[in-house]
Amino acid sequence: MRFAVIGPGAVDTEPFGHQQPHVQESDERFIAGIEKLHPEDIADTVAHVTTSPRRRAINEIVIRPTDQAVRAPFHVARAHVCPGHTAAPYT
């Protein structure tokens, strides 16, 4: 069994247009003039992860349009677990 996190940037899909109006406006300003990824781009990424040789573990992929900047500040909370300790988020 394989597990991977695939974090897409702006993708030209229907759910992008299902946000509340103020969120849509903010997102549109953020990606104005950027060619969004196509759904096939994400599908190709999933195929790459799932068909990779067993010896290769792909844990996380961030894929975004070439011209899409990273939002600042950008951080992802992660969980680190040590034996005998509980999960604690850190950045």
Side-chain angles (χ1 to χ4, degrees):
M1 184 176 294
R2 293 181 181 232
F3 295 91
V5 175
I6 299 175
V11 181
D12 191 14
T13 57
E14 189 175 323
F16 185 76
H18 287 262
Q19 300 291 333
Q20 294 180 358
H22 71 281
V23 174
Q24 250 184 328
E25 291 169 11
S26 174
D27 287 349
E28 286 296 335
R29 281 192 307 273
F30 180 71
I31 61 167
I34 295 174
E35 180 184 4
K36 296 177 190 173
L37 295 172
H38 297 198
E40 297 82 16
D41 298 326
I42 307 307
D44 291 346
T45 303
V46 171
H48 176 72
V49 169
T50 58
T51 61
S52 290
R54 173 90 173 99
R55 68 181 178 277
R56 187 182 310 150
I58 300 172
N59 305 107
E60 184 174 8
I61 294 176
V62 176
I63 178 173
R64 66 175 60 93
T66 302
D67 295 328
Q68 182 179 342
V70 176
R71 289 183 195 234
F74 177 78
H75 74 278
V76 177
R78 303 189 185 275
H80 175 72
V81 181
C82 295
H85 294 88
T86 58
Y90 68 93
T91 57

